[in-house]
Amino acid sequence: MITTIRPLTGIVLLLSVFISVSCAVGREAVTVEFVVGDLLTAEGGQWEPKGSPLKSPFGIDFSPDGTMYIVELAGGRVHTCDSAGKLQLVAGDGSQGYLGDGSAFATATFNGMHNCAVTPNGDLYIADSWNHCIRKVDSRTSIISTVAGSGRAGFGGDGGPGARALFNYVMCITLNSTGNQLHIADLKNLRIRVLNLSTGLVDTVAGNGEKGVPVDGSLARQSPLFDPRAVAADSKGRIYILERGGHALRAVLHNGQIKTLAGTGEKGFRDGAALEAQLAAPKHICIDDCDNVYIADEANQAIRKYNPVSQKIETVLGRTHGDSRIRLSKPHGVCWHDGCLYVVDTGHNRILRLR
């Protein structure tokens, strides 16, 4: 299936790459383009979410050649999308399963995928959330395997190999800036863990397994977490943690201490000074080339931006911001790639690009 990439001007673009070296997303007016989908009827278009080739897309990432990988939560499938907008189903049959390890990627089944991450050499990692594990697709052989987790819920294995570790709802996985560590939001274990891709060892970097709001300045590994849904590390090594039920953005600093950076802890919508701003059940984050943090603020139907220099939150899309016509529904995935911000508008089964 071919999905043309359409800017809001109505001109069809078939460019392979959009280059933007600035981190300018966040100004009041942005250019919005569609990778999958188009304007809704309510936005002045004719897009029908039920007619989308995607079913509940949740996470995306890009291979070194610019190919986009798309994982579906409810749909149970993995797609690729090339630079011309051509979608291709590459794995998953729509069932909730746990098959395929040791075989070709195309034979695999999954259970509640939340997102994915691609290494600089093209290996694909998938957060197979309800299978409580992380799967890897080797870029050379296209063979899939489980590299962390056993397929059953639990906690254990820190200091040892990922294949012997136990997880409980792997909600989010993201690579660090050098691509040698995979950070993991281990939701029901209330921990942030890390898989060293060089050694294969797993460890915990935040959370002690208890539920609560961490005290600023306390050691992250000895502190409670409220609801760690997403994690991402910036170029300076800060590890950002997004908490859905805590309505907050926190970070593990270089000294191992944890600090709340944005959100009051109360559900709401307010831009401005980060610690006075309000989020509402945020689900996912990504980081741009200038270390700004983008937040998929699901219940607010908006994409927010945290600027670590100004320590402010602003809305970049949704609720009349960015482009006043766009109406988001349960936005989940956000991904920064080649100077552009990609947004997975999950409730509308479409993918947008901002630049």
Side-chain angles (χ1 to χ4, degrees):
M1 176 174 291
I2 301 294
T3 303
T4 53
I5 300 172
R6 299 177 182 272
L8 293 186
T9 58
I11 300 173
V12 178
L13 297 181
L14 294 176
L15 299 180
S16 60
V17 176
F18 289 92
I19 299 176
S20 171
V21 296
S22 69
C23 303
V25 172
R27 59 189 185 274
E28 188 60 27
V30 299
T31 299
V32 180
E33 298 156 337
F34 294 98
V35 180
V36 177
D38 213 323
L39 289 168
L40 301 164
T41 301
E43 298 167 338
Q46 298 181 333
W47 176 249
E48 293 290 342
K50 291 183 179 180
S52 174
L54 302 178
K55 182 179 180 181
S56 191
F58 249 56
I60 63 172
D61 201 7
F62 291 82
S63 68
D65 67 2
T67 298
M68 178 194 294
Y69 283 94
I70 306 164
V71 299
E72 300 174 325
L73 179 73
R77 302 173 299 175
V78 182
H79 303 262
T80 58
C81 182
D82 65 18
S83 58
K86 182 181 179 180
L87 278 173
Q88 182 178 354
L89 175 64
V90 293
D93 59 9
S95 66
Q96 293 183 338
Y98 183 28
L99 300 174
D101 277 3
S103 300
F105 181 33
T107 67
T109 59
F110 309 90
N111 191 4
M113 293 176 286
H114 268 71
N115 80 318
C116 60
V118 186
T119 64
N121 72 352
D123 291 340
L124 170 67
Y125 290 83
I126 297 172
D128 198 356
S129 305
W130 300 334
N131 280 328
H132 313 292
C133 68
I134 299 167
R135 318 277 292 273
K136 173 189 175 182
V137 182
D138 189 288
S139 61
R140 298 166 299 171
T141 65
S142 293
I143 299 298
I144 189 169
S145 61
T146 296
V147 294
S150 66
R152 63 184 179 89
F155 174 74
D158 276 3
R164 297 181 186 175
L166 294 177
F167 298 83
N168 197 345
Y169 275 57
V170 177
M171 296 296 286
C172 169
I173 55 173
T174 53
L175 290 162
N176 64 349
S177 59
T178 56
N180 66 339
Q181 292 186 334
L182 195 69
H183 288 99
I184 306 160
D186 191 4
L187 175 63
K188 290 194 175 182
N189 282 324
L190 297 169
R191 289 175 169 92
I192 299 298
R193 301 170 80 182
V194 61
L195 174 67
N196 186 310
L197 300 184
S198 299
T199 65
L201 301 180
V202 169
D203 204 355
T204 293
V205 295
N208 61 7
E210 298 179 2
K211 186 169 185 174
V213 177
V215 175
D216 279 0
S218 60
L219 290 177
R221 289 185 55 151
Q222 299 175 10
S223 299
L225 293 176
F226 197 89
D227 183 15
R229 292 287 175 138
V231 58
D234 70 8
S235 67
K236 299 177 179 61
R238 289 172 294 201
I239 302 171
Y240 287 91
I241 303 169
L242 188 67
E243 300 210 282
R244 185 185 188 190
H247 313 294
L249 178 69
R250 316 189 202 278
V252 180
L253 308 179
H254 301 90
N255 58 7
Q257 295 178 347
I258 194 167
K259 183 179 181 181
T260 297
L261 301 178
T264 64
E266 297 294 326
K267 184 177 182 179
F269 178 80
R270 183 166 63 231
D271 282 340
L275 289 174
E276 298 174 5
Q278 289 184 313
L279 306 170
K283 290 292 292 291
H284 195 64
I285 54 176
C286 70
I287 298 175
D288 69 17
D289 300 328
C290 300
D291 284 338
N292 298 303
V293 182
Y294 294 90
I295 303 168
D297 197 5
E298 186 189 53
N300 275 325
Q301 320 285 18
I303 306 300
R304 318 287 290 280
K305 174 183 175 181
Y306 168 72
N307 184 318
V309 177
S310 68
Q311 297 181 21
K312 292 184 177 180
I313 289 278
E314 63 177 315
T315 302
V316 301
L317 188 68
R319 302 176 69 108
T320 74
H321 293 266
D323 185 287
S324 61
R325 290 171 288 184
I326 297 296
R327 302 288 185 268
L328 300 176
S329 174
K330 300 178 181 179
H332 185 272
V334 284
C335 180
W336 184 265
H337 176 69
D338 273 352
C340 296
L341 177 67
Y342 289 76
V343 175
V344 181
D345 189 13
T346 302
H348 291 140
N349 291 323
R350 63 183 180 176
I351 299 174
L352 297 78
R353 176 169 57 203
L354 281 66
R355 62 186 181 96

